[in-house]
Amino acid sequence: MKNALSALALSCAALSANAQTFEACVAGLKQTAGAQGVSASTLDLAFKGIEPDETVLKAFDFQPEFRTPIWDYLAGLVDDERVADGQAKLKEWSKTLAEAEQKYGVDRHTIVAVWGVESNFGRIQGTRELVRSLVTLVCANKRQAFFKGELWATLKIAQSGDIPLQNLVGSWAGAFGQTQFMPTTYQRIAVDFDGDGKRDIVNSVPDALGSTANFLKLAGWVSGANWGYEVQLPKGYAGPSGRTTRQPLAQFTKSGIKPIRPDQAVPSETTQAALLLPAGPTGPAFIVFRNFDAIYSYNAAESYALSIAHLADRLRGGGRFSTPWPTDDPGTSRAERREVQQLLVARGYDIGEIDGMIGTKSRLAISEFQTSIGVKADGRAGQRVLQALRAAKPK
Ligand code: CA
């Protein structure tokens, strides 16, 4: 008992010491920001009653043990729903998109695909206050120099009047708006594309679309060129692969690699190309060009770039990949994920909100269900789990 009490006293002391440290840290940040030209009124508003956000630190420290297979990742990002939504947006914003194509030379389908994947066409932008998240990260010593830079940028955006402080909300790491730019990216790249004098990627669709086009242009987009295409590998191909192993297209052609679609537009044989094998040599294979790298620079993951590239193709009327992913349990669309969640609820499992996003609660429920039917519990919302849930009796 005595030990427990002194432990309690100790943890209280540690807590108040932390609180003091946080306050001191905030005071220091205020001072530095002031010295950098952020006005006292902006600082007072931004830091008023600020408290650390523990959920941001949890998100920073979270290392997902569940690694999403690429076929799950793509099945959720490039589903019929997003293709239909994207086609509606192409119509709705055709004038703006034509202007963006004209000014930046970036194809409209790619711009809309980025919009669809980054924020589900502006619907999901994140809800955390940027200043609070960034101050939490800086004061907890997490990548301090990086997040400090993002904090200064956030304060300057608020001060400029382009986007008011209360609209500067986003992901735990500071990405915000319909384009999910980091604040420093916003400062370098965002444009006022509706001509109202403000660069508002939160509430203005034209500003968001123009800013995305500007990003891709600055990332080296080659106007009129395609990102790449699906290819057929010759049997037993053992030559070079990987996005950064580039060689003239002619080298790949010589190895017997050819487009799956016979009517595929193919650039000059001297074009620098790379062979992408996202799931190894037995899955879909792609020849990719400079524009694939431009998309990659938006978010440095090959699966991300492939999802944008593929969604752009689907938006312009292209089909699904020809080669199946090397799995006997393919991924599910968001509509199917919602069905998985609905069926779990109907069968007595608690999954939280039915939103088509398979988070921790959904994965736990799926694992329990898998155990109950005697299959390996991996928590994945694949086609097999969906079929098994459809066949299972409601509670
Ligand atoms: Ca504007």
Side-chain angles (χ1 to χ4, degrees), residues 55-103:
T55 66
V56 167
L57 297 179
K58 276 197 191 123
F60 182 91
D61 290 330
F62 180 64
Q63 297 295 332
E65 40 199 285
F66 184 88
R67 216 174 148 266
T68 311
I70 185 156
W71 44 87
D72 279 354
Y73 181 82
L74 275 151
L77 285 179
V78 189
D79 57 14
D80 291 344
E81 208 175 334
R82 211 177 308 266
V83 173
D85 277 357
Q87 278 166 345
K89 296 293 179 192
L90 279 165
K91 278 205 190 99
E92 187 182 350
W93 296 99
S94 62
K95 191 169 160 277
T96 305
L97 289 162
E99 284 163 10
E101 273 182 342
Q102 181 73 26
K103 178 154 190 194

Side-chain angles (χ1 to χ4, degrees), residues 192-200 204 207:
D192 169 25
F193 208 56
D194 60 11
D196 72 347
K198 289 180 178 169
R199 303 185 292 161
D200 184 358
S204 163
D207 286 8

